[in-house]
Amino acid sequence: MNQTKLINAIYINLLPQKVKKKDIHKVVKSLFNILKNILIKGEKVRIKNFGIFFSKHRKVKDKVKDSKEWIDKAIIKIKLSKANKIK
């Protein structure tokens, strides 16, 4: 599911409340920005009955072109709770 589909799904669930898609888009974008900033700081994000988000730095096997230095790349891992299943 991408961001647009997520916004549409929220919009459909909130139709009786007459919430605008524009407002939903702002909330979703804000949520992702907050999560991103927390993960950049190296902190964990735990959402009850959903999962734990955390970032981990590791060295990548590929080398930078014309350089002998290794690339330091951030990897984001998600630990799902037992209540969730991925299809």
Side-chain angles (χ1 to χ4, degrees):
M1 178 177 278
N2 61 25
Q3 185 174 343
T4 304
K5 289 181 182 178
L6 178 62
I7 291 168
N8 287 334
I10 294 170
Y11 177 74
I12 290 169
N13 285 331
L14 295 177
L15 275 177
Q17 285 87 17
K18 298 181 181 178
V19 178
K20 296 178 184 177
K21 271 191 184 180
K22 187 176 180 181
D23 296 332
I24 295 169
H25 184 271
K26 287 179 184 177
V27 170
V28 170
K29 193 171 183 177
S30 176
L31 173 67
F32 286 140
N33 283 333
I34 291 168
L35 291 174
K36 180 181 75 174
N37 290 332
I38 291 170
L39 293 172
I40 288 172
K41 291 179 185 176
E43 299 175 20
K44 289 184 179 180
V45 177
R46 171 177 265 143
I47 302 174
K48 189 175 180 179
N49 295 326
F50 186 74
I52 302 170
F53 300 83
F54 60 94
S55 61
K56 181 179 178 181
H57 291 276
R58 68 179 176 109
K59 299 229 177 203
V60 178
K61 293 181 182 179
D62 299 328
K63 291 186 178 182
V64 180
K65 292 180 181 178
D66 302 325
S67 175
K68 293 182 180 179
E69 296 179 18
W70 293 97
I71 302 170
D72 191 23
K73 187 175 184 180
I75 304 297
I76 297 174
K77 292 192 172 191
I78 302 168
K79 181 180 179 184
L80 294 175
S81 68
K82 292 182 181 178
N84 297 318
K85 294 181 182 177
I86 298 177
K87 294 181 182 178

